[in-house]
């Protein structure tokens, strides 16, 4: 049996907002083919898969226009997206390691009562500035968790989640 989710259900399931999902529909990025008799959007498994690709490409820094072009032209396959994400995470790890090394250096100097130089602080500040991607990492981990839960939910396959027409989106 094919399962469907109304926009509100999909928002709760993925952590996106209803507004975001409606905007994606408005710009033709994620437009479900199914709808209830009263016109409520119904998303299916294929829409969820497309949404995962959209989110993945956005996390890589692509604009919505670039995401749309990539998905429309089928220029980027899922393996390529995963490989790009691996590269991005490896770069983030390198940046984090650099920050950790510099923090340890400054800490060691402070513990030894040695004077911390202006160069030490500027290098530390530069490493901290490069740490701007920390919120992105947290968001990525949150998405990975949500999509992992979503995958388990989809694999269970024994619940239908369509609401009645009189329930709000």
């Amino acid at each position: 049996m094919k399962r469907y989710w109304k926009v509100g259900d999909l928002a709760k399931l993925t952590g996106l907002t209803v507004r975001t999902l409606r905007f994606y529909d408005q710009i033709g990025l994620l437009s479900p083919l199914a709808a209830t008799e009263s016109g409520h959007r119904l998303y299916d498994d294929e829409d969820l898969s497309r949404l995962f690709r959209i989110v993945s490409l956005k996390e890589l820094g692509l604009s919505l226009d670039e995401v749309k072009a990539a998905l429309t032209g089928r220029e980027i396959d899922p393996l390529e997206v995963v490989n790009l994400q691996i590269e991005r995470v490896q770069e983030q790890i390198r940046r984090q390691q650099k920050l950790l090394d510099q923090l340890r250096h400054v800490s060691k100097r402070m513990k030894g009562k040695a004077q911390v130089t202006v160069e030490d602080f500027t290098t530390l500040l530069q490493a901290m500035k490069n740490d701007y991607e920390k919120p992105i990492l947290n968001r990525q981990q949150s998405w990975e968790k949500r999509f992992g839960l979503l995958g388990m939910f989809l694999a269970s396959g024994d619940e239908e989640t369509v609401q009645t027409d009189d329930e709000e989106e």
Side-chain angles (χ1 to χ4, degrees):
M1 176 188 304
K2 196 164 188 167
R3 291 175 292 169
Y4 295 93
W5 294 269
K6 291 174 89 175
V7 68
D9 297 325
L10 186 63
K12 288 176 189 170
L13 192 61
T14 63
L16 292 171
T17 64
V18 169
R19 183 178 178 186
T20 296
L21 294 171
R22 286 183 175 153
F23 180 69
Y24 288 175
D25 186 12
Q26 181 183 2
I27 64 172
L29 190 58
L30 181 68
S31 298
L33 297 177
T36 64
E37 289 180 19
S38 60
H40 294 267
R41 300 165 183 87
L42 292 176
Y43 296 87
D44 62 14
D45 293 345
E46 289 178 31
D47 296 319
L48 288 174
S49 177
R50 183 174 176 91
L51 183 58
F52 173 75
R53 291 191 307 273
I54 292 167
V55 170
S56 297
L57 293 170
K58 279 187 50 61
E59 290 293 325
L60 290 171
L62 275 67
S63 70
L64 290 177
D65 288 336
E66 292 168 329
V67 169
K68 189 174 182 179
L71 293 176
T72 303
R74 304 207 188 277
E75 298 167 13
I76 298 178
D77 68 26
L79 178 58
E80 187 176 346
V81 170
V82 169
N83 287 333
L84 288 170
Q85 287 177 322
I86 289 169
E87 290 173 17
R88 194 176 115 254
V89 169
Q90 287 173 330
E91 177 59 30
Q92 290 170 343
I93 289 169
R94 283 190 290 275
R95 288 182 182 174
Q96 292 292 311
Q97 187 60 51
K98 183 177 179 181
L99 175 59
L100 180 60
D101 292 344
Q102 189 59 33
L103 285 167
R104 285 182 174 154
H105 169 74
V106 170
S107 175
K108 183 178 177 182
R109 290 188 65 96
M110 289 176 159
K111 285 179 185 175
K113 305 284 186 200
Q115 185 174 356
V116 179
T117 66
V118 172
E119 185 178 305
D120 290 333
F121 274 121
T122 55
T123 303
L124 179 58
L125 288 172
Q126 186 62 40
M128 291 169 73
K129 181 181 172 200
N130 288 336
D131 192 34
Y132 67 92
E133 290 186 340
K134 185 176 181 182
I136 294 171
L137 258 178
N138 291 340
R139 189 171 56 218
Q140 178 187 8
Q141 290 168 347
S142 173
W143 275 108
E144 288 170 356
K145 181 180 176 185
R146 282 189 179 112
F147 279 109
L149 292 172
L150 179 60
M152 290 187 307
F153 176 76
L154 292 174
S156 71
D158 48 353
E159 290 185 52
E160 186 164 328
T161 58
V162 175
Q163 296 178 346
T164 60
D165 288 344
D166 58 330
E167 292 179 6
E168 288 194 13
E169 282 192 84

